[in-house]
Amino acid sequence: MSCERPLSYLEVEMDRVLSSELALHAGERVRLAGWMHRIRRLGSGMVFVHLRDRSGICQIVVEAPEAIASLDGLLAESVIEVEGMVAVEPQAAGGFEIHNPTFIVLSAVTDALPFPINKPVINAHLDTFLDHAMVGLRAPSKQAIFRLSAAAAHGFREALDAQGFTEVTTPKIIGTASESGANVFAIDYFGRQAYLAQSPQFYKQIMVGVFERVYEIGPVFRAEPHQTVRHLNEYVSLDAEMGFIKDHTTVMAVLMDVIRGMLSYMAGHCSRELELLHVGMPLAPEVFPHVYFPDAQQWIYEHKGEDCRGEPDLAPQHEKWIGEWAKEVHDSDFVFVTGYPMVKRPFYTAPNPKDPRYSNSFDLLFRGTELVTGGQRLNRFDDYARALEARGMTQDAVAGYLETFRFGMPPHGGFAIGLERFVMQLVGLTNLREAALFPRDMERLQP
RNA sequence: GGGGUCGUGGUGUAGCUGGUCUAACACGCUGGCCUGUCACGCCGGAGACCACGGGUUCAAAUCCCGUCGAUCCCGCCA
C-alpha cells in the first residue's frame, strides 16, 4: 500500500499564472490554463488564441507550425494548458501577451456551441439562452451578473456582521403550510405531507429569541402561478430580523445601512463587472425618502389623476410613479412606502398604534420596483392570539411558533430583500430570469 | 387564473395584402487567401421541405381552424 502525500493547493497552483497576472511576469516563461475563448486563424502561420480563466482573458500568439498544428480542429471552449513567454506588446489588450507557446489540450471541443458566447452581445433569446445556460453562463457578460450577485450577498453579510447579527440557516422542508397556505409547494416526505418553505419568517423570529439579531441567505419557494418578468417560483431571499427595536423605523435604519453596505462592497470589488455591464451606481442618500401609504395614494390622485385612495395596495404602475417622484424630488433611486394597510399584511404584523388600520410595516422600492418588505412584528402572545382569531386561524397550526412568544420576546422586526430583484434593478435587466443562474418558473424546471 | 403577441438552417432576423421562395441576410460551422487579429477582412461551401395537424385554393412560409411551444401585460408578490 502506498501512502503518497497529496499535493497541497499551493503546490498545484504554484506554477500556474492567471491571465490577469501577466504584468508580474514580463519576460518570464509561464504556464496558464483555461478555456479557448476565441481562436483566430490568420493565414500562413499566424494564429491568435484568447485564453479565458477565472481572472479574465489574455492573448496568445502562435507562429510555430508545430504549435499551430497542435490546435488543429479545436473549437471555442476547448480547455487548454499553455506554456509560453510573457511579452510586452502595446498592440495587445492589457499590454501583454504570450509568445512562443506550447499547448496541452485538456479537453477538446469539436462541436460548435449552441450560440457564440465570445461576442460582446449574446445573440440568443432568453428561452434559448436558458436552455443552454450551462455553457451560456460562461460568457463574460453573464459571468459579470453573477459576480455582482455574489458581491451583493457578501456586502449584505458584511454589513450585518458589523452590527452584531448572527448568520443562521433554517429548514426549507417544513411540516405545516403556515403563513399563507395557498402559495406553498407540497412534497412527499417519507409518506407524510410536507412543504417547501416560502419564507424563513417564523424561524428567523424564533431565532431573535436566541441571538437578538439574525440573518439568513437562502432560497424561498412560492407556488404562485405568475408569469411576469419580475417573478420566480424559487428565488434567493436576504432575510434579517432583530430584537429590541423602537418600531419599524429602527428596521428601516438598519436596512438603509445594509443597502449602502451592499452597494459599496460592489463598487469596491466589482469595478470590472460594473464597467462591462455599463452599470452606474444608484443614488442612495444618507436617508432614503419615505412616504406614508395613504399619502402616496393621495399624491397619485393629485398628480397622476388616478384615484386609488382606499385601495389596500399599490399597483406596479403606482410604484413606478412613486419611484419617479423619489428620483426627481429627492435624488434617490430608493424610496420607502410605510404603513401598508393591515388587511394586506400577514397576521404577525404590528399595527400602527396611532391608527390600527395601518401597519408598522414598509416596502422599499428600488427604481420603481418592490425590492424589500419589512416591518415590526407582534411580540406578545396575547396579541398573536387575537390576531389569529381575527383572521379565523387556529393556534394549533402555528403552535411551535407561538411557544416563542409565550416565553418572552422583545419588540422586534426585520426585512427580506429579493436578491435577484436587487441585481435586476441594479444592472437594468429586463427579465428577472437573467439574474438567476437556473431560474424556476411555471414552465421551466431544466436545466 | 384572464388578455395580447409570436413560432422560418445551430443562433438572431427578413419574407407573411398567396404566384420564378428552387426561401434571403447576419453570427456560427466549413474549404481557400491574408504575419497583428482582438465583433478582423476577402472569395467559396454545407446547413431550414418555414413548430405540428387539418382546411381554403389551380397554387400556402404567407389566409382560416386546432394543438403544442415561447413571450409580454394584468392579478399576486420579493
Side-chain angles (χ1 to χ4, degrees):
Chain A
M1 209 194 304
S2 74
C3 217
E4 263 181 69
R5 187 177 63 88
L7 288 176
S8 73
Y9 171 76
L10 261 180
E11 286 168 315
V12 169
E13 284 283 294
M14 191 161 49
D15 62 340
R16 181 181 171 203
V17 166
L18 293 174
S19 62
S20 62
E21 300 170 334
L22 297 190
L24 306 171
H25 299 275
E28 295 171 27
R29 208 162 165 79
V30 299
R31 186 177 67 86
L32 299 115
W35 288 263
M36 204 166 72
H37 189 65
R38 170 181 282 117
I39 179 163
R40 291 234 52 86
R41 296 180 162 96
L42 301 214
S44 49
M46 190 165 204
V47 172
F48 292 98
V49 172
H50 288 183
L51 181 88
R52 188 188 73 239
D53 60 25
R54 67 175 187 272
S55 77
I57 294 171
C58 69
Q59 175 162 279
I60 300 153
V61 183
V62 197
E63 291 177 293
E66 56 274 22
I68 289 176
S70 70
L71 299 174
D72 268 358
L74 292 188
L75 296 185
E77 293 307 295
S78 294
V79 182
I80 54 177
E81 208 175 284
V82 189
E83 216 181 284
M85 181 69 70
V86 179
V88 182
E89 178 51 72
Q91 288 177 90
F96 297 89
E97 62 184 15
I98 301 293
H99 287 179
N100 299 315
T102 58
F103 296 96
I104 298 172
V105 179
L106 300 177
S107 180
V109 173
T110 52
D111 293 326
L113 290 162
F115 44 81
I117 63 168
N118 55 12
K119 300 282 174 183
V121 191
I122 302 299
N123 212 5
H125 274 152
L126 183 57
D127 188 52
T128 307
F129 178 84
L130 292 176
D131 281 342
H132 302 281
M134 44 300 252
V135 68
L137 289 170
R138 295 177 185 181
S141 62
K142 299 296 179 180
Q143 284 188 21
I145 293 170
F146 297 98
R147 287 184 196 272
L148 288 177
S149 188
H154 194 109
F156 177 83
R157 282 199 171 94
E158 208 172 70
L160 289 172
D161 285 343
Q163 301 284 347
F165 281 71
T166 299
E167 181 167 6
V168 297
T169 59
T170 64
K172 302 306 157 206
I173 303 174
I174 56 176
T176 45
S178 42
E179 209 178 322
S180 58
N183 297 335
V184 296
F185 289 106
I187 59 170
D188 174 66
Y189 193 75
F190 303 112
R192 279 188 290 168
Q193 179 100 304
Y195 305 91
L196 294 179
Q198 52 137 237
S199 146
Q201 182 62 35
F202 289 3
Y203 288 107
K204 69 175 182 174
Q205 283 185 262
I206 290 167
M207 291 310 292
V208 164
V210 178
F211 293 131
E212 286 189 25
R213 299 179 166 198
V214 297
Y215 68 87
E216 172 165 13
I217 299 178
V220 296
F221 306 90
R222 300 285 167 94
E224 295 152 1
H226 35 220
Q227 182 69 299
T228 81
V229 293
R230 61 186 183 286
H231 290 95
L232 294 172
N233 293 293
E234 174 179 351
Y235 68 91
V236 176
S237 183
L238 307 177
D239 266 275
E241 197 78 13
M242 61 189 294
F244 301 102
I245 61 172
K246 177 172 145 284
D247 55 27
H248 60 296
T249 60
T250 314
V251 179
M252 289 159 66
V254 171
L255 174 57
M256 287 188 281
D257 192 57
V258 167
I259 295 282
R260 278 192 300 271
M262 291 166 74
L263 292 174
S264 71
Y265 187 87
M266 295 167 110
H269 293 81
C270 299
S271 51
R272 201 177 68 179
E273 286 77 15
L274 293 167
E275 192 181 333
L276 181 66
L277 296 169
H278 310 293
V279 174
M281 272 294 135
L283 300 164
E286 187 62 29
V287 177
F288 300 169
H290 51 92
V291 56
Y292 194 51
F293 181 86
D295 296 343
Q297 291 182 321
Q298 183 66 29
W299 181 89
I300 289 167
Y301 175 63
E302 286 170 13
H303 291 81
K304 298 292 174 183
E306 188 181 322
D307 192 1
C308 56
R309 294 173 299 176
E311 303 257 333
D313 205 355
L314 296 176
Q317 179 57 250
H318 303 151
E319 293 175 345
K320 277 198 186 71
W321 286 332
I322 302 290
E324 287 164 13
W325 167 79
K327 176 119 184 178
E328 283 162 23
V329 179
H330 295 282
D331 285 323
S332 177
D333 281 313
F334 296 91
V335 55
F336 283 110
V337 178
T338 63
Y340 279 79
M342 283 298 287
V343 292
K344 286 300 287 182
R345 294 277 150 158
F347 71 86
Y348 50 77
T349 306
N352 178 352
K354 290 178 194 146
D355 186 348
R357 289 175 301 166
Y358 298 103
S359 63
N360 268 1
S361 73
F362 59 84
D363 275 8
L364 178 67
L365 312 183
F366 178 20
R367 292 175 172 158
T369 288
E370 197 174 324
L371 174 71
V372 186
T373 289
Q376 182 181 1
R377 330 296 185 188
L378 301 175
N379 69 295
R380 282 188 287 261
F381 179 82
D382 290 347
D383 292 335
Y384 274 92
R386 271 193 294 274
L388 288 167
E389 195 186 344
R391 289 167 194 255
M393 299 168 72
T394 68
Q395 291 189 203
D396 294 351
V398 291
Y401 173 61
L402 289 181
E403 181 170 315
T404 310
F405 305 100
R406 212 188 290 275
F407 295 106
M409 277 290 280
H412 66 284
F415 58 84
I417 305 172
L419 177 60
E420 293 87 346
R421 280 223 182 147
F422 181 78
V423 173
M424 173 189 181
Q425 291 301 91
L426 178 75
V427 177
L429 303 174
T430 54
N431 195 312
L432 188 61
R433 289 163 183 78
E434 293 183 69
L437 288 172
F438 304 104
R440 289 290 174 263
D441 61 33
M442 282 182 80
E443 304 297 336
R444 182 171 289 281
L445 264 173
Q446 297 286 345

Short mmCIF file of all heavy atoms in Angstrom, two decimals, chain A residues 194-214:
data_model
loop_
_atom_site.label_atom_id
_atom_site.label_comp_id
_atom_site.label_asym_id
_atom_site.label_seq_id
_atom_site.Cartn_x
_atom_site.Cartn_y
_atom_site.Cartn_z
N ALA A 194 -45.38 17.29 3.36
CA ALA A 194 -44.52 18.38 3.83
C ALA A 194 -44.57 19.50 2.80
O ALA A 194 -45.24 19.37 1.76
CB ALA A 194 -43.09 17.88 4.03
N TYR A 195 -43.88 20.60 3.08
CA TYR A 195 -43.95 21.76 2.21
C TYR A 195 -42.58 22.38 2.06
O TYR A 195 -41.72 22.24 2.93
CB TYR A 195 -44.93 22.79 2.78
CG TYR A 195 -46.30 22.21 3.06
CD1 TYR A 195 -46.60 21.65 4.30
CD2 TYR A 195 -47.27 22.18 2.06
CE1 TYR A 195 -47.84 21.09 4.56
CE2 TYR A 195 -48.51 21.61 2.29
CZ TYR A 195 -48.80 21.07 3.54
OH TYR A 195 -50.02 20.51 3.77
N LEU A 196 -42.38 23.08 0.96
CA LEU A 196 -41.16 23.87 0.79
C LEU A 196 -41.41 25.25 1.40
O LEU A 196 -42.46 25.86 1.15
CB LEU A 196 -40.82 24.01 -0.69
CG LEU A 196 -40.42 22.71 -1.40
CD1 LEU A 196 -40.13 22.98 -2.87
CD2 LEU A 196 -39.20 22.07 -0.72
N ALA A 197 -40.44 25.71 2.18
CA ALA A 197 -40.62 26.97 2.90
C ALA A 197 -40.77 28.13 1.93
O ALA A 197 -39.96 28.31 1.03
CB ALA A 197 -39.44 27.20 3.84
N GLN A 198 -41.80 28.93 2.12
CA GLN A 198 -42.00 30.10 1.25
C GLN A 198 -41.34 31.32 1.86
O GLN A 198 -41.33 32.38 1.24
CB GLN A 198 -43.48 30.34 1.02
CG GLN A 198 -44.32 30.41 2.26
CD GLN A 198 -45.30 31.53 2.20
OE1 GLN A 198 -45.29 32.39 3.06
NE2 GLN A 198 -46.13 31.54 1.16
N SER A 199 -40.76 31.16 3.05
CA SER A 199 -40.07 32.25 3.72
C SER A 199 -39.50 31.71 5.03
O SER A 199 -40.06 30.80 5.62
CB SER A 199 -41.06 33.38 3.99
OG SER A 199 -40.76 34.04 5.20
N PRO A 200 -38.36 32.24 5.47
CA PRO A 200 -37.84 31.82 6.78
C PRO A 200 -38.46 32.63 7.92
O PRO A 200 -37.94 32.63 9.03
CB PRO A 200 -36.34 32.10 6.66
CG PRO A 200 -36.27 33.26 5.72
CD PRO A 200 -37.45 33.16 4.78
N GLN A 201 -39.56 33.29 7.65
CA GLN A 201 -40.14 34.25 8.58
C GLN A 201 -40.25 33.73 10.02
O GLN A 201 -39.73 34.32 10.95
CB GLN A 201 -41.53 34.68 8.10
CG GLN A 201 -42.21 35.72 8.96
CD GLN A 201 -41.43 37.02 9.02
OE1 GLN A 201 -40.80 37.43 8.04
NE2 GLN A 201 -41.43 37.67 10.17
N PHE A 202 -40.94 32.61 10.20
CA PHE A 202 -41.16 32.12 11.56
C PHE A 202 -39.84 31.78 12.25
O PHE A 202 -39.62 32.12 13.40
CB PHE A 202 -42.06 30.88 11.54
CG PHE A 202 -43.49 31.17 11.18
CD1 PHE A 202 -43.91 32.45 10.84
CD2 PHE A 202 -44.44 30.15 11.19
CE1 PHE A 202 -45.22 32.71 10.50
CE2 PHE A 202 -45.76 30.40 10.86
CZ PHE A 202 -46.15 31.68 10.51
N TYR A 203 -38.97 31.11 11.50
CA TYR A 203 -37.71 30.68 12.12
C TYR A 203 -36.82 31.85 12.47
O TYR A 203 -36.13 31.84 13.49
CB TYR A 203 -36.99 29.69 11.20
CG TYR A 203 -37.66 28.35 11.16
CD1 TYR A 203 -38.37 27.94 10.04
CD2 TYR A 203 -37.59 27.49 12.25
CE1 TYR A 203 -39.00 26.70 10.01
CE2 TYR A 203 -38.22 26.25 12.24
CZ TYR A 203 -38.93 25.86 11.11
OH TYR A 203 -39.55 24.65 11.08
N LYS A 204 -36.82 32.87 11.62
CA LYS A 204 -35.92 33.99 11.95
C LYS A 204 -36.46 34.75 13.15
O LYS A 204 -35.68 35.24 13.97
CB LYS A 204 -35.66 34.88 10.73
CG LYS A 204 -36.80 35.71 10.22
CD LYS A 204 -36.35 36.63 9.07
CE LYS A 204 -37.49 37.49 8.58
NZ LYS A 204 -37.09 38.50 7.58
N GLN A 205 -37.76 34.82 13.29
CA GLN A 205 -38.31 35.44 14.50
C GLN A 205 -37.96 34.62 15.74
O GLN A 205 -37.54 35.17 16.75
CB GLN A 205 -39.84 35.54 14.40
CG GLN A 205 -40.32 36.66 13.52
CD GLN A 205 -41.85 36.78 13.55
OE1 GLN A 205 -42.51 36.27 12.66
NE2 GLN A 205 -42.38 37.42 14.58
N ILE A 206 -38.13 33.31 15.62
CA ILE A 206 -37.76 32.43 16.73
C ILE A 206 -36.31 32.65 17.13
O ILE A 206 -35.97 32.71 18.31
CB ILE A 206 -38.00 30.95 16.33
CG1 ILE A 206 -39.50 30.67 16.21
CG2 ILE A 206 -37.33 30.00 17.32
CD1 ILE A 206 -39.84 29.36 15.53
N MET A 207 -35.46 32.82 16.12
CA MET A 207 -34.03 32.97 16.40
C MET A 207 -33.67 34.33 17.00
O MET A 207 -32.59 34.49 17.57
CB MET A 207 -33.21 32.71 15.12
CG MET A 207 -33.23 31.26 14.65
SD MET A 207 -32.84 30.08 15.95
CE MET A 207 -31.10 30.45 16.23
N VAL A 208 -34.58 35.29 16.88
CA VAL A 208 -34.38 36.56 17.59
C VAL A 208 -34.40 36.30 19.09
O VAL A 208 -33.66 36.92 19.86
CB VAL A 208 -35.46 37.59 17.19
CG1 VAL A 208 -35.50 38.75 18.19
CG2 VAL A 208 -35.19 38.11 15.79
N GLY A 209 -35.22 35.33 19.51
CA GLY A 209 -35.25 34.93 20.91
C GLY A 209 -33.96 34.29 21.38
O GLY A 209 -33.70 34.18 22.58
N VAL A 210 -33.14 33.86 20.43
CA VAL A 210 -31.87 33.21 20.76
C VAL A 210 -30.70 34.19 20.63
O VAL A 210 -29.91 34.35 21.55
CB VAL A 210 -31.62 32.00 19.83
CG1 VAL A 210 -30.28 31.34 20.14
CG2 VAL A 210 -32.76 30.99 19.94
N PHE A 211 -30.61 34.85 19.50
CA PHE A 211 -29.44 35.68 19.19
C PHE A 211 -29.71 37.19 19.16
O PHE A 211 -28.81 37.96 18.90
CB PHE A 211 -28.87 35.30 17.83
CG PHE A 211 -28.26 33.92 17.76
CD1 PHE A 211 -28.59 33.04 16.75
CD2 PHE A 211 -27.33 33.52 18.72
CE1 PHE A 211 -28.01 31.78 16.67
CE2 PHE A 211 -26.74 32.26 18.65
CZ PHE A 211 -27.09 31.38 17.63
N GLU A 212 -30.94 37.60 19.33
CA GLU A 212 -31.36 39.00 19.18
C GLU A 212 -31.34 39.48 17.73
O GLU A 212 -32.28 40.09 17.26
CB GLU A 212 -30.49 39.97 20.00
CG GLU A 212 -30.74 39.94 21.47
CD GLU A 212 -30.02 41.08 22.19
OE1 GLU A 212 -29.73 42.12 21.56
OE2 GLU A 212 -29.74 40.91 23.39
N ARG A 213 -30.21 39.22 17.04
CA ARG A 213 -30.09 39.71 15.67
C ARG A 213 -29.63 38.57 14.77
O ARG A 213 -28.54 38.01 15.03
CB ARG A 213 -29.08 40.86 15.60
CG ARG A 213 -29.49 42.05 16.43
CD ARG A 213 -28.47 43.17 16.37
NE ARG A 213 -29.05 44.39 16.91
CZ ARG A 213 -28.56 45.61 16.69
NH1 ARG A 213 -27.47 45.76 15.97
NH2 ARG A 213 -29.16 46.66 17.21
N VAL A 214 -30.39 38.25 13.76
CA VAL A 214 -30.02 37.16 12.87
C VAL A 214 -30.26 37.54 11.42
O VAL A 214 -31.05 38.43 11.11
CB VAL A 214 -30.82 35.87 13.17
CG1 VAL A 214 -30.52 35.35 14.57
CG2 VAL A 214 -32.32 36.09 12.99
#
